Amino acid sequence: MWYPDTYFQLVHSLLYSEEEQSVQFLPNGFVELIQKVRLVTPCTPNVHLFPFDVVQCSLQMSSFGNPIQNVNYSWDSERTPGGVFVDPKNNDADHLGFDILPTGHVAFNCEYGPDTFSCFTATISLKRYYSAYVLQIYVPAFLLVILSWLTFWVNIQATPARASLSVTTVLSMLTLTSRSSAENQKHVSGKVTALDVYIYVCFIFVILAMLEFSLSDFAASHAAKRNKQTHHTLLVNNSSNHQHKTTPRTSSTHWIRSLVTDGENVNKVARVVLPIAFSVFNAIYWAVLTVGVARQTHHEITHIVA
């Protein structure tokens, strides 16, 4: 008995089972062949929105050697109204961290050389569960950035405590970055994702907090040394009864000099600048991500309806 030479395109592996098939001769003269096929098909994630993306798994089929005049594929809409049926009780998507969205299908013609072949594509959309990423990566990264700001309020003379806090937050953030890179490599093959952007920006803010600690500690040490020299000069001037006139400095010059030479002033500026900058980044990041997810959802609905 001859049957169509169905060809599955772009699949990684394919297995036909001769034991799991059946042939039925219908009263209207049609012959129905049912055969189970196991295959691994590629899925395409939306890299820029990971882990808030929708993964597209496409299954494209066509005839291998028979043009459209001999073999014409079509969807059996009477048996399966949606074209593609996925049993929610008999799939592993939930265990793999995905939620199955409504499926779509389309039939079209493919041209290979001088002949035209009948083709059709089934599309299965998988919505990734992102709650684990939020709780295990996003929230810890956010809290580590806030924790790094505690060095701005610790006594500037407590250098060991501030140094320990800065180093601890940097090492913790580095561990979290390594974990994010492992998830990236496993799901999107090492491409830059929205998760990577957030993690590395948080890492930059933690590094800036550590650099601020170094700058403020250096400024405090320099100020203490300068005050000691000034006190010694005043004692010498008082003993010799000499009075020197000093040229007055402008307020702006005095403020800048006080900022870069006084560690406490550096801390005061950092208490305002870094939190505001991090808040602006979060507002822009989540706004852009929300717009991207909304566009992705609209595109999925439009694609399914079409």
Side-chain angles (χ1 to χ4, degrees):
M1 184 181 65
W2 176 90
Y3 58 91
D5 51 346
T6 304
Y7 171 64
F8 296 89
Q9 302 180 12
L10 303 177
V11 296
H12 296 305
S13 63
L14 181 65
L15 177 63
Y16 286 95
S17 178
E18 297 182 355
E19 298 178 354
E20 297 175 327
Q21 63 181 2
S22 65
V23 179
Q24 296 183 6
F25 297 90
L26 304 180
N28 57 5
F30 285 91
V31 179
E32 184 179 70
L33 171 66
I34 300 177
Q35 185 175 20
K36 180 176 288 186
V37 181
R38 293 180 176 89
L39 52 87
V40 177
T41 183
C43 296
T44 305
N46 191 334
V47 177
H48 301 292
L49 296 179
F50 177 84
F52 304 94
D53 59 330
V54 173
V55 180
Q56 294 282 351
C57 298
S58 299
L59 181 63
Q60 183 170 338
M61 296 159 278
S62 67
S63 176
F64 182 75
N66 293 279
I68 194 172
Q69 294 83 2
N70 300 331
V71 176
N72 187 14
Y73 290 97
S74 62
W75 293 98
D76 190 355
S77 58
E78 295 181 358
R79 175 173 296 181
T80 307
V84 183
F85 175 72
V86 179
D87 188 0
K89 298 181 181 179
N90 189 23
N91 66 83
D92 296 329
D94 184 70
H95 302 286
L96 297 176
F98 292 95
D99 184 22
I100 298 179
L101 300 179
T103 59
H105 64 280
V106 60
F108 55 98
N109 297 332
C110 301
E111 294 184 0
Y112 303 123
D115 297 325
T116 302
F117 297 85
S118 177
C119 301
F120 59 167
T121 301
T123 303
I124 301 176
S125 300
L126 304 176
K127 176 65 176 178
R128 195 187 306 273
Y129 295 146
Y130 56 83
S131 57
Y133 296 94
V134 173
L135 295 177
Q136 298 176 11
I137 298 180
Y138 277 97
V139 173
F142 180 82
L143 295 178
L144 283 174
V145 174
I146 296 179
L147 183 63
S148 66
W149 296 342
L150 295 180
T151 57
F152 306 156
W153 280 270
V154 177
N155 188 356
I156 198 171
Q157 302 298 330
T159 302
R162 300 180 68 202
S164 300
L165 184 59
S166 298
V167 172
T168 301
T169 53
V170 169
L171 294 179
S172 300
M173 197 67 206
L174 186 61
T175 303
L176 196 62
T177 304
S178 301
R179 180 177 180 180
S180 173
S181 300
E183 293 290 334
N184 188 346
Q185 185 67 30
K186 181 171 63 175
H187 294 288
V188 294
S189 302
K191 297 180 181 179
V192 179
T193 64
L195 179 62
D196 292 330
V197 173
Y198 191 85
I199 290 298
Y200 282 102
V201 170
C202 290
F203 189 70
I204 291 174
F205 273 96
V206 173
I207 293 296
L208 288 177
M210 188 173 185
L211 294 177
E212 188 279 337
F213 153 70
S214 302
L215 178 61
S216 62
D217 188 71
F218 173 79
S221 302
H222 182 72
K225 185 177 180 179
R226 188 185 68 255
N227 291 335
K228 184 177 180 181
Q229 293 177 351
T230 303
H231 180 69
H232 178 71
T233 303
L234 289 176
L235 291 178
V236 173
N237 290 339
N238 290 334
S239 61
S240 58
N241 294 324
H242 290 293
Q243 295 181 356
H244 301 279
K245 295 182 179 180
T246 59
T247 58
R249 300 187 181 94
T250 61
S251 58
S252 60
T253 305
H254 178 72
W255 183 84
I256 296 175
R257 182 179 179 84
S258 176
L259 174 62
V260 299
T261 57
D262 191 348
E264 189 61 34
N265 288 339
V266 176
N267 282 340
K268 290 179 180 179
V269 173
R271 292 172 192 173
V272 178
V273 174
L274 288 183
I276 291 178
F278 190 63
S279 300
V280 171
F281 162 71
N282 274 275
I284 297 175
Y285 177 87
W286 292 110
V288 172
L289 192 61
T290 302
V291 172
V293 172
R295 289 182 177 180
Q296 174 184 245
T297 304
H298 177 72
H299 178 268
E300 293 299 324
I301 295 175
T302 305
H303 178 74
I304 293 173
V305 172

